[in-house]
Amino acid sequence: MRPILALAIALATATSAVAQSESPEAVLEAAFANRYEVDMISEMELVTRDRGGSEQRRVVQAVSKRIDGRSQSIGRVLEPASLRGLTVLISEVEGGGRDTFVYLPALLRARRISGIQRLDSFLGSDLTYEDFERQRAADFAVEPLPPEDVAGERCAMLRATPRDERAYAAVVLAVAPDHAILEYRYFARDAETPYRVIETPRTQMHRESGHLLPTRFLVRHIERGSATELVLRKLAVNPKIDDRIFSVRTLDQQRPLPRIRAEH
């Protein structure tokens, strides 16, 4: 057992040393590639609890795909019945911008969401529309912070300041040696403590196709005293997805979204 233990410690030390030798920009690039450079179909459950203990539950079917190097995603509410059919389309356009449309069943049509509205709460939760968008390292100025132990792992800590308008002034990410992001801390301008924290437990990450993907997100909105738990109940990685579903026509005609096959 001792030689095996020694080998494990040596490998862990070597991995940590490699991670420390990387530039902060390279670490962020690798972390975002692990998280976003993948196509997925999922069924997610969001449960939000406010300061008083009231609870709301949402179930959303989501599909994302990279087309010509640009991210496309669409999500449709399955539950509750009062919101069923509400559908969101986020399309990354040339130049790095994003077009966001929401189909509202009560209006029977889709409408465009402005850049500012992208920062709003997603379905009344502690997540925003922006949280579901692909992130690119080039959109942030990055600086290293002293490493920390997060969830029992020694992590590289990066402070990323967005180059464009966001809901936050900066985000601090805890990146494990294998480039899995274990925690996000969001800061308002000039604030010393985060107003929102997202944890992604390693014990509930899914490994497939060279990616380590979180399937559980624990979101605490410290200012509001609320919390949201997002769980991917079903997940298919790099499935076959028709490009044509990522269109406003899909929203207006309420076309069905691809489902996860039984083997997934």
Side-chain angles (χ1 to χ4, degrees), residues 16 25 39 52 59 90 97 102-103 106 111 116 125 150 153 167 177 190 218 232 241 246:
S16 179
E25 291 80 9
D39 302 339
V59 177
I90 303 174
V102 175
Y103 174 86
R111 66 178 180 87
I116 294 297
S125 73
V150 176
E153 297 188 51
D190 299 326
L218 304 174
L232 301 187
I241 302 172
F246 301 100

Side-chain angles (χ1 to χ4, degrees), residues 34-61:
N34 171 67
R35 174 69 182 84
Y36 298 107
E37 298 304 312
V38 61
D39 302 339
M40 295 193 300
I41 302 175
S42 63
E43 183 178 291
M44 62 182 70
E45 180 179 41
L46 294 91
V47 178
T48 300
R49 299 174 181 87
D50 64 19
R51 191 187 299 271
S54 297
E55 182 177 294
Q56 66 175 17
R57 176 177 173 272
R58 313 278 190 248
V59 177
V60 179
Q61 181 186 0

Side-chain angles (χ1 to χ4, degrees), residues 38-44 60-67 71-78 87-91 132 232 234-236 238-247 250-251 255-260:
V38 61
D39 302 339
M40 295 193 300
I41 302 175
S42 63
E43 183 178 291
M44 62 182 70
V60 179
Q61 181 186 0
V63 184
S64 62
K65 184 177 183 179
R66 295 154 299 153
I67 302 174
S71 175
Q72 311 292 319
S73 60
I74 189 167
R76 177 170 293 152
V77 176
L78 304 178
T87 310
V88 179
L89 171 67
I90 303 174
S91 295
F132 295 92
L232 301 187
K234 299 178 183 179
L235 174 65
N238 290 330
K240 185 175 294 186
I241 302 172
D242 189 338
D243 295 359
R244 293 173 295 180
I245 72 163
F246 301 100
S247 67
T250 296
L251 272 63
R255 294 178 175 177
L257 302 184
R259 305 304 292 262
I260 298 174

Side-chain angles (χ1 to χ4, degrees), residues 154-230:
R154 195 65 169 171
C155 291
M157 306 300 294
L158 304 178
R159 182 179 179 89
T161 303
R163 301 185 189 278
D164 56 355
E165 186 172 16
R166 305 284 177 113
Y168 53 91
V171 57
V172 171
L173 302 101
V175 184
D178 59 3
H179 299 120
I181 303 173
L182 302 184
E183 190 173 278
Y184 306 72
R185 304 170 190 169
Y186 293 89
F187 291 80
R189 189 174 304 279
D190 299 326
E192 296 184 0
T193 57
Y195 68 89
R196 188 175 68 135
V197 175
I198 300 178
E199 301 171 17
T200 55
R202 179 181 289 280
T203 54
Q204 290 168 283
M205 289 188 178
H206 176 82
R207 186 183 296 275
E208 187 175 348
S209 300
H211 293 267
L212 194 59
L213 303 169
T215 64
R216 186 176 182 221
F217 299 77
L218 304 174
V219 188
R220 290 182 291 118
H221 202 295
I222 299 166
E223 287 187 346
R224 292 202 293 251
S226 56
T228 295
E229 181 176 8
L230 184 155

Side-chain angles (χ1 to χ4, degrees), residues 67-72 91-99 136:
I67 302 174
D68 297 329
R70 296 192 289 271
S71 175
Q72 311 292 319
S91 295
E92 195 174 35
V93 298
E94 193 171 356
R98 294 171 180 85
D99 285 339
R136 295 180 181 273

